Amino acid sequence: MKSKIIMLGAVAAMLLTSCGSVPITGRKQLNLVSDQEVLQSSLSQYNSYMKTATISGEKTQSEMVTRVGKRIAAATEKYLNEHGLSSEVKNFSWEFNLVKNNEINAFCMPGGKIVVYEGLMKIVNSDAELAVVLGHEVAHAVAKHSNERMSQQILAQYGAQAVSLATSGSSAATQAIASQVYGLGANYGVMLPYSRKHEAEADKMGLVLMSLAGYDPSVALNFWKKMSASSNNNQNDFFSDHPSDAKRIAAIEKELPAIEKEYASYIAAGKAQSTTHKSTSTKKTKTSKKKKSTHRK
């Protein structure tokens, strides 16, 4: 009896000391697994996946993925540094990949390993639309949703033994849980679905991150409508891990006004930069045409 009480006390203490807060939203979360273990296990899963994946030969689309990815990454690190979370920045070692796969999907592993499928690029019409997706996926990594899922899985499978597992740093046990959580290299070939709570949180955080990167978050509404039209998802999300399209769009509509107001200066700066870039590119094109015309004469 005494040993049980001690164990319950240890579990309670562990839960109290293992609580963290999600950047941007401030939600409290359970993190039983260290960042180092999460990064090691996710990198292992990522490397295994990339060995079987085929890198896309679409140069223009690959450049877009890298360009947008770098802007989202820079905005993310800037936010973390400015909000007393500089220690989190060291956890990211960014990579941006476009792979041959006709499925409409993308993911970002802990540590900033981003993968976009060619199928998604058939729907994406602009940098801002791609930023909707990458902002969402990077948000999962920033919010440590994988860590939280692993922690919940450990607690569910091991119960009171989670105390010793979490404190012993058992890499074998962590790897086993990670394989279940990530699902990479298995039948899915992609990360397993996040919970509805995580998806909704990543939607909100993603809008903030893309705004900080200078993209217009309002494009998210039309983008998710296009995604809805291209999918066969059931509109009732009761049995789904993801919000239904209608509920996702409604939630984004609710969040947008406050986000657009708070980050208006970043969005405006991004539009100005985009306009300047387009103007410069147009001038270069005209100059190039003039030179060619002069040369022919």
Side-chain angles (χ1 to χ4, degrees), residues 15-181:
L15 295 178
L16 287 172
T17 57
S18 301
C19 284
S21 295
V22 178
I24 298 176
T25 68
R27 178 180 65 83
K28 297 296 182 182
Q29 64 181 172
L30 176 68
N31 291 327
L32 296 177
V33 187
S34 69
D35 289 342
Q36 184 179 4
E37 284 189 288
V38 171
L39 292 171
Q40 287 177 347
S41 60
S42 65
L43 182 60
S44 174
Q45 295 288 321
Y46 168 77
N47 287 337
S48 295
Y49 170 78
M50 290 306 297
K51 286 178 182 178
T52 63
T54 302
I55 297 297
S56 172
E58 296 289 338
K59 183 180 179 181
T60 301
Q61 292 182 349
S62 295
E63 289 175 347
M64 180 189 282
V65 169
T66 300
R67 180 173 63 250
V68 176
K70 284 184 174 180
R71 275 181 65 171
I72 294 290
T76 298
E77 293 190 358
K78 187 173 185 292
Y79 176 89
L80 293 173
N81 282 324
E82 291 179 349
H83 289 78
L85 298 168
S86 300
S87 60
E88 298 293 331
V89 175
K90 72 178 188 304
N91 292 330
F92 291 95
S93 178
W94 302 95
E95 286 186 21
F96 314 95
N97 304 282
L98 179 66
V99 300
K100 280 185 172 294
N101 193 314
N102 290 325
E103 292 182 25
I104 301 172
N105 216 334
F107 61 84
C108 176
M109 298 289 284
K113 309 302 185 186
I114 294 173
V115 174
V116 176
Y117 290 0
E118 282 185 343
L120 176 69
M121 301 304 288
K122 295 175 183 178
I123 295 177
V124 170
N125 290 329
S126 66
D127 282 18
E129 287 192 343
L130 181 58
V132 174
V133 181
L134 297 191
H136 174 95
E137 297 303 331
V138 169
H140 280 306
V142 173
K144 299 185 180 182
H145 286 162
S146 291
N147 187 318
E148 194 171 8
R149 283 193 302 173
M150 290 174 68
S151 300
Q152 292 167 346
Q153 195 76 5
I154 287 173
L155 204 57
Q157 287 191 20
Y158 295 95
Q161 294 179 33
V163 176
S164 59
L165 180 64
T167 57
S168 67
S170 174
S171 58
T174 303
Q175 285 287 352
I177 293 294
S179 296
Q180 297 173 37
V181 168

